Amino acid sequence: MRGAPTILHLDMDAFYAAAEQAAKPSLRGKPVVVGGIGPRGVVATASYEARVFGIRSAMATAQARRLCPNAAYLTPRFSLYREISEVVMGLLGELSPLVEPLSLDEAFVDLEAGGVEPTSAAVRAVGERLRRDIRAATGLSGSVGLAGSKMLAKIASEEAKPDGLVLIEPGTELELLGPMSVRAIPGVGPATAETLRRAGITTVAETGEAGEAELVRLLGKAHGAGLYALATGHDDRPVVADRDAKSVSVEDTFEEDLTDRSRVQTEISRLAERCVQRLRAAGRSGRTVVIKVRSYDFSTLTRSETLRGPTDDPAVVKEAAARLIDGVDTTAGVRLLGVGVSGLADYTQEDLFAQAAAAAAGAAGTTAAAGAAGAAEAPQGPGEAQGETAGAEVKPRRWLPGLDVRHAEYGAGWVQGSGVGRVTVRFEQPWSEPGRVRTFAVDDPALEPGEPLSLVRQEPGADQLADPPADGPDRPAPGGPADADPDPDPDPGLGPERGSGPGPDADPGPDAGPGADPVPRPVPGPGSDPATRPEPGMSSR
């Protein structure tokens, strides 16, 4: 425990939902839910307007729809969230060399390592400036906690939500912690809390009063001793920059249980491919391949295989995953499948490639013969229709609510809903007024997937100028987001590349003419005050 509150914890407010509200003017001030939109989807983030109805993260989307059927239910756009996260983490990096990211929207910062004077007034000033800089750069808000330990800084940021700052003065820690629920302590989940409740322990103060010996008896030596230290305010964990990921994994929940064995094998192969894509994007390799299988009755099992050395070769990972799934009985129905790689390293073991090469060589003759005869048949992925010729452009058969699109005539917009062969699109930009809704056939050749628009308005002539919103009165979309066509949970790994936007051929919008604003300006975030708009040069993007 430090004698000065020099550990800062930043937590962006309702991050995914706030980013969507900032990017979609028609959703500002309205309930927004981001997550899986299918019948088995799960809420990733809910805006504060949606939380009023009792919607929370990790809640089943079906339950959220019952609580608030008129909310906008949107598919996540991780490329946009990563872009914003990079800006926020860059601002944190300017404060200190010790920044410990916990997720896209959350991080610890060691202000002492950044040379900040160890006084309450100095660190408070830094925290307030950080909040202003984040608002100026992204249009979004974040909550800041300042304390002498990581645990207390995180608790302080929770107390500060939304869009606030709380500083815990040294010497007041136990007074603050005592009446809090034991769930406020990091690492105490529902199971641990229930164990403690049965022993009559429900608050942080009661946890400390129980004593270390009693907690060790209830929870085991490691967990019990650690919990006692935290409950009595002893937390000397340092802020660690560049925390190493322990594994990389992907998983999908299916709209209907999979019972066909060949379909299960195809899905495992596809998940293995996605997993390797993430592995390579992180510049890592791994030596242990893991599969996860959740059955129709929610029972879950995992199987793993450790290779001779780390690899990032998709053929090797697919082969290992295929062997693992072969040993699992899936005939009763599979609800979820996942593939992961652990035992990460920064290099690859080259001799592993020989394994995949040998398999490929053995199948070369058969593949060539099948290709010559025209009989080779590739498994179809989502959105592909039977009978399409190889190399032909494949139009998506389903348009997921919230995703970006571009129309040849109307420009950039986003999917508001789809169903019965129609898709409704709202044409608006982050810096525009709420746009008009238009309806198209799902196979309209003029409509195609688009790229997320930057939340910072670009000066005229920049590459990311986008099309103007369609004029005309706003009208409600038939079958809005709540009526969207159900679809399996989205694949966060298949979105547009980070930082991309409309190309240089995009039509200039109305702000490109005389009288246009000559400097980038942030999009007004949910609940933002126009008076807080930055002066020229404040934006870091």
Side-chain angles (χ1 to χ4, degrees):
M1 181 73 66
R2 298 184 180 183
T6 54
I7 293 182
L8 180 150
H9 181 260
L10 171 72
D11 196 356
M12 299 294 288
D13 299 322
F15 182 49
Y16 297 169
E20 296 296 344
Q21 288 176 317
K24 300 174 170 64
S26 58
L27 297 183
R28 293 173 191 164
K30 299 179 181 178
V32 173
V33 178
V34 179
I37 62 171
R40 292 179 172 178
V42 174
V43 174
T45 305
S47 69
Y48 285 97
E49 296 85 354
R51 296 182 189 188
V52 172
F53 295 89
I55 299 175
R56 296 290 184 269
S57 299
M59 175 183 288
T61 302
Q63 182 181 355
R65 288 185 187 275
R66 290 191 291 270
L67 293 173
C68 186
N70 295 322
Y73 290 85
L74 306 179
T75 299
R77 297 188 298 160
F78 286 97
S79 59
L80 174 65
Y81 311 150
R82 291 189 189 101
E83 181 184 359
I84 300 171
S85 177
E86 287 181 349
V87 174
V88 173
M89 295 303 166
L91 293 174
L92 297 181
E94 295 174 4
L95 301 180
S96 170
L98 289 182
V99 177
E100 182 179 339
L102 304 179
S103 62
L104 290 177
D105 64 329
E106 186 181 1
F108 286 109
V109 183
D110 188 337
L111 297 180
E112 186 176 297
V116 177
E117 184 181 353
T119 64
S120 297
V123 297
R124 181 183 291 275
V126 170
E128 294 290 3
R129 186 175 73 248
L130 172 65
R131 293 176 58 235
R132 291 194 299 269
D133 290 347
I134 290 174
R135 173 80 73 177
T138 68
L140 306 182
S141 67
S143 296
V144 171
L146 294 159
S149 70
K150 292 171 72 172
M151 177 186 72
L152 290 171
K154 184 172 176 62
I155 289 174
S157 69
E158 285 295 323
E159 293 293 314
K161 283 186 171 293
D163 192 18
L165 182 149
V166 168
L167 184 150
I168 299 178
E169 293 284 356
T172 65
E173 296 89 357
L174 294 181
E175 180 182 350
L176 171 74
L177 284 174
M180 288 185 174
S181 166
V182 70
R183 290 292 303 275
I185 302 176
V188 177
T192 300
E194 177 60 21
T195 299
L196 295 174
R197 187 196 64 79
R198 289 197 298 266
I201 301 171
T202 58
T203 67
V204 176
E206 291 170 348
T207 305
E209 292 168 359
E212 183 175 354
E214 175 66 7
L215 295 178
V216 168
R217 185 186 70 81
L218 292 171
L219 305 173
K221 184 173 183 179
H223 195 14
L227 180 59
Y228 177 76
L230 294 177
T232 53
H234 296 88
D235 180 15
D236 296 322
R237 295 174 299 162
V239 176
V240 180
D242 299 323
R243 295 195 319 162
D244 280 341
K246 296 181 179 180
S247 64
V248 174
S249 63
V250 295
E251 61 183 40
D252 270 350
T253 299
F254 303 103
E255 187 174 347
E256 297 180 355
D257 293 337
L258 304 185
T259 55
D260 182 74
R261 186 68 181 178
S262 61
R263 172 73 188 282
V264 171
Q265 293 168 336
T266 298
E267 293 295 337
I268 281 289
S269 177
R270 183 177 62 83
L271 289 166
E273 180 73 33
R274 283 170 47 197
C275 183
V276 172
Q277 288 176 2
R278 293 190 181 182
L279 195 66
R280 288 182 167 181
R284 308 297 296 275
S285 61
R287 62 176 304 178
T288 301
V289 178
V290 183
I291 67 166
K292 177 180 178 181
V293 182
R294 179 167 295 157
S295 299
Y296 71 98
D297 59 356
F298 286 89
S299 61
T300 304
L301 62 84
T302 59
R303 296 289 185 269
S304 64
E305 176 181 321
T306 299
L307 307 172
R308 293 171 297 186
T311 183
D312 64 354
D313 187 284
V316 174
V317 175
K318 285 181 181 180
E319 184 179 333
R323 285 195 298 269
L324 291 170
I325 197 65
D326 282 344
V328 178
D329 181 10
T330 60
T331 54
V334 173
R335 176 187 178 90
L336 174 147
L337 288 172
V339 175
V341 176
S342 61
L344 302 187
D346 295 323
Y347 64 95
T348 60
Q349 189 75 33
E350 296 296 335
D351 64 357
L352 283 173
F353 298 156
Q355 183 180 7
T366 304
T367 303
E377 197 172 297
Q380 292 181 310
E384 295 179 338
Q386 294 185 1
E388 291 174 334
T389 58
E393 182 180 357
V394 177
K395 300 293 289 185
R397 299 171 64 184
R398 288 178 176 174
W399 300 86
L400 301 179
L403 295 189
D404 300 277
V405 296
R406 175 167 287 276
H407 191 274
E409 179 180 355
Y410 302 112
W414 58 278
V415 177
Q416 185 159 321
S418 66
V420 294
R422 294 287 184 268
V423 55
T424 56
V425 177
R426 187 180 289 273
F427 292 98
E428 60 186 4
Q429 299 170 351
W431 49 85
S432 73
E433 294 297 321
R436 182 173 180 175
V437 172
R438 295 181 182 273
T439 302
F440 308 93
V442 293
D443 57 354
D444 190 324
L447 191 66
E448 60 184 14
E451 305 285 359
L453 299 178
S454 173
L455 294 190
V456 175
R457 188 170 175 174
Q458 302 293 324
E459 54 184 295
D463 286 347
Q464 288 190 337
L465 282 173
D467 300 306
D471 54 3
D474 186 19
R475 60 186 176 86
D483 300 321
D485 189 23
D487 204 288
D489 291 349
D491 173 10
L494 298 181
E497 290 297 321
R498 179 166 63 251
S500 57
D505 297 329
D507 298 332
D511 297 315
D517 190 349
V519 296
R521 290 190 181 273
V523 175
S528 63
D529 185 350
T532 63
R533 297 182 71 180
E535 294 300 322
M538 286 184 65
S539 175
S540 66
R541 299 179 66 189

